[in-house]
Amino acid sequence: MKDFEVRKKILVILKDKDKEFVSGEAISRKLGFSRAYLWKQIKRLRQEGYEIKAVPRRGYSLVSLPDKIYGYELADINAEVLGKRNIYYYESIGSTNDIAYKLAEDGAMEGSVVISESQVSGRGRMRRKWDSPHGGIYLSIILRPEMDIEELPCITLVSALAVVRAVKRICPLDVKIKWPNDVLIGGRKVCGILTEVKAQPGMVDFLILGIGINVNIKKQDIPAEATSLKIEAEEHIDRKRLLGYMLEEIEKIYQCLIKEGFSSIRQECKENLMMLNKRVTINDYNRAVEGVALDIDEKGLLILQTDDGKCRRIFSGDVKQ
Ligand code: BT5
């Protein structure tokens, strides 16, 4: 068992006791290792910010947890793969997508997750900057879907839906999807998704699903047109819980997509989309197209009716309403 897995299990036992003491002997016996090794891992947890009391003859008790998204708490989430396999945690990193891409190239398994507390060169589409201060969640997931490249646009969209579902489980906010990759509250961006793919002709090799969400972030640390969950909910949000919900919802939606196809989730995507039947301008590679956003097609493309009455299927772009 890796040290990380051991600490995850120690925390499960301590949390279960809910601030009561549990003896070192009982933990060591349950997990099958020495008291000395247990003490080493407890020390490491303390260094990471877990307040753990140690009292002779009584044992250990967990007093408080740090506001960090190490991934230990993912031990009890309701998912089979996401958050349950390899978790790569960073206090600060260039971009979680870059790390995940390299790991995937080196053969990292599906469901591996890269998390960082902050990013110094977080990026959006077309190498735009993604502001990534402390207090957000910056996450990249390695997926290896057996899908045709043509089916990929819907992955970003259904992931945005998973974020909407997860946020709604935490606080009752009016969260909406802005096609193709944003999540907004009251018209302000709270989350962006960057999907990057390595593919052979026709076939997906792997896909990196990068998600950045402004959680406990102050107005001055993000672009003027953005917002954070804390600003909108007017309260501190538990990032560990939110991260767990996000992984649960992404896994659920991804499995549904793989087994049943996009048609099974399309309606829910449409219901959560902010621009259907509204007039929009879509900028794509310096071209602007105007029209009414009529629908999302069976692959996740936006159907835009232009003023000449024709319907166009839009693959990607920046939408302005
Ligand atoms: C996106 O691009 O919205 C995708 C953002 C993906 C970020 C995640 S974080 C984890 C992973 N690792 C990475 O390096 N990236 C992914 P796009 O649609 O191109 O939007 C970029 C635009 O959003 C910028 O040009 C700004 O206008 C705006 N923006 C930048 N930082 C923001 C923030 N923190 N909150 C809201 N909007 C922001």
Side-chain angles (χ1 to χ4, degrees):
M1 210 181 336
K2 284 198 287 190
D3 287 354
F4 177 81
E5 294 299 320
V6 168
R7 291 195 292 277
K8 216 159 129 180
K9 290 201 158 79
I10 295 172
L11 284 172
V12 169
I13 295 175
L14 292 178
K15 275 195 214 160
D16 212 38
K17 284 283 169 186
D18 195 20
K19 297 194 179 160
E20 303 231 322
F21 281 89
V22 49
S23 75
E25 197 196 331
I27 304 177
S28 307
R29 207 176 335 108
K30 189 159 186 186
L31 300 179
F33 48 68
S34 72
R35 301 275 297 272
Y37 180 71
L38 171 65
W39 177 234
K40 193 174 153 207
Q41 298 311 322
I42 295 272
K43 276 202 292 195
R44 172 70 190 265
L45 283 167
R46 281 174 163 178
Q47 280 162 6
E48 289 178 337
Y50 287 84
E51 200 186 330
I52 300 172
K53 261 198 216 150
V55 175
R57 283 185 296 280
R58 292 186 75 192
Y60 301 103
S61 123
L62 179 62
V63 179
S64 69
L65 288 73
D67 182 14
K68 296 277 183 185
I69 42 175
Y70 293 124
Y72 297 129
E73 282 75 14
L74 301 175
D76 38 22
I77 69 167
N78 188 11
E80 278 166 30
V81 176
L82 292 190
K84 298 287 168 140
R85 291 188 178 165
N86 295 336
I87 298 172
Y88 301 86
Y89 170 86
Y90 297 88
E91 181 62 36
S92 175
I93 196 74
S95 153
T96 54
N97 262 36
D98 290 346
I99 300 288
Y101 200 96
K102 283 196 200 89
L103 287 166
E105 278 192 318
D106 291 344
M109 61 170 97
E110 174 159 85
S112 301
V113 170
V114 181
I115 314 170
S116 190
E117 301 281 353
S118 65
Q119 297 182 118
V120 286
S121 33
R123 52 192 167 75
R125 295 174 299 160
M126 291 170 282
R127 302 245 147 218
R128 287 187 286 223
K129 184 170 174 272
W130 182 258
D131 294 352
S132 315
H134 270 91
I137 296 177
Y138 311 101
L139 164 76
S140 296
I141 302 170
I142 298 174
L143 296 174
R144 297 184 180 276
E146 284 180 16
M147 278 173 115
D148 207 83
I149 292 174
E150 290 204 337
E151 295 172 76
L152 284 182
C154 63
I155 289 221
T156 310
L157 194 59
V158 300
S159 304
L161 179 62
V163 172
V164 168
R165 284 186 189 171
V167 171
K168 285 188 171 164
R169 283 172 67 184
I170 288 268
C171 44
L173 292 168
D174 189 20
V175 204
K176 288 271 178 263
I177 303 170
K178 182 174 145 196
W179 182 92
N181 68 318
D182 292 347
V183 176
L184 277 69
I185 302 175
R188 291 178 179 274
K189 185 159 168 173
V190 73
C191 167
I193 301 177
L194 175 68
T195 309
E196 294 180 301
V197 181
K198 183 169 181 193
Q200 316 281 342
M203 267 297 291
V204 176
D205 214 349
F206 60 79
L207 183 149
I208 307 298
L209 186 62
I211 304 177
I213 176 159
N214 305 328
V215 190
N216 297 314
I217 296 185
K218 294 192 218 97
K219 188 119 206 67
Q220 60 264 34
D221 293 335
I222 41 177
E225 64 283 5
T227 192
S228 75
L229 295 179
K230 185 177 179 179
I231 295 170
E232 299 298 327
E234 297 180 347
E235 63 182 15
H236 186 87
I237 304 289
D238 183 342
R239 289 183 311 141
K240 294 186 271 286
R241 252 177 82 210
L242 178 62
L243 174 64
Y245 288 167
M246 280 166 64
L247 293 175
E248 282 180 6
E249 295 297 343
I250 291 167
E251 179 171 299
K252 240 192 278 170
I253 235 165
Y254 177 64
Q255 280 178 354
C256 191
L257 185 69
I258 298 297
K259 284 187 199 139
E260 295 165 39
F262 179 56
S263 59
S264 59
I265 323 162
R266 183 173 161 206
Q267 186 55 31
E268 195 186 339
C269 282
K270 282 167 62 174
E271 284 161 11
N272 284 281
L273 216 58
M274 57 179 283
M275 70 269 248
L276 279 195
N277 299 316
K278 303 228 167 83
R279 196 164 176 83
V280 294
T281 305
I282 301 177
N283 283 294
D284 189 14
Y285 296 106
N286 300 325
R287 270 182 320 140
V289 209
E290 261 186 70
V292 174
L294 275 193
D295 204 352
I296 294 290
D297 81 358
E298 63 289 345
K299 288 186 175 139
L301 306 190
L302 186 75
I303 302 181
L304 186 79
Q305 185 170 45
T306 44
D307 293 342
D308 55 11
K310 287 191 182 139
C311 285
R312 300 185 189 198
R313 277 164 212 264
I314 314 285
F315 189 82
S316 176
D318 286 314
V319 179
K320 279 212 174 61
Q321 228 170 287

